[in-house]
Amino acid sequence: MKRSKKILLLILCIALLFVPVTSFFYIAGHMNHECMGVDCHICAQIGFSIHNINISKIYIIAALYALIVFVTALSICPSEDVICHSGITLISLKVELLN
């Protein structure tokens, strides 16, 4: 995978995690506000934040999965590149492929 695709994947994971995390902190920060009645803007925003969290549960799981895959691939690739680019092939090892 090219480096630009890895960076794009990381940015996408962070963006997918940003909305629900900020919604959670908004709810936590405004949970004990003084409600002004039926047209309370803070209550409406809390409802919208709860809706964002409920909608984005699948995206959180997908983003965490992609982030885990990204970190794993990043930790494996340097060791794989050493093996792949070391010049070791079946021909250099003189392996006979007889069928």
Side-chain angles (χ1 to χ4, degrees):
M1 193 189 281
K2 291 185 180 180
R3 186 159 182 83
S4 62
K5 288 185 180 180
K6 288 181 183 179
I7 292 171
L8 184 63
L9 178 67
L10 183 64
I11 290 171
L12 182 64
C13 290
I14 291 170
L16 286 174
L17 289 173
F18 181 75
V19 172
V21 169
T22 55
S23 295
F24 175 76
F25 283 120
Y26 184 82
I27 292 170
H30 291 89
M31 192 55 78
N32 295 326
H33 78 282
E34 293 182 19
C35 189
M36 296 181 190
V38 178
D39 294 331
C40 181
H41 297 292
I42 296 174
C43 288
Q45 187 63 34
I46 288 174
F48 183 70
S49 297
I50 291 171
H51 179 70
N52 278 343
I53 290 171
N54 288 335
I55 292 290
S56 61
K57 284 180 185 176
I58 189 71
Y59 297 123
I60 292 172
I61 293 169
L64 287 174
Y65 178 74
L67 191 61
I68 289 169
V69 168
F70 174 76
V71 170
T72 304
L74 195 62
S75 65
I76 290 174
C77 283
S79 62
E80 183 180 324
D81 287 341
V82 170
I83 294 169
C84 292
H85 297 296
S86 64
I88 299 173
T89 63
L90 293 175
I91 296 171
S92 67
L93 294 175
K94 298 182 180 178
V95 174
E96 292 185 21
L97 299 174
L98 302 173
N99 279 338

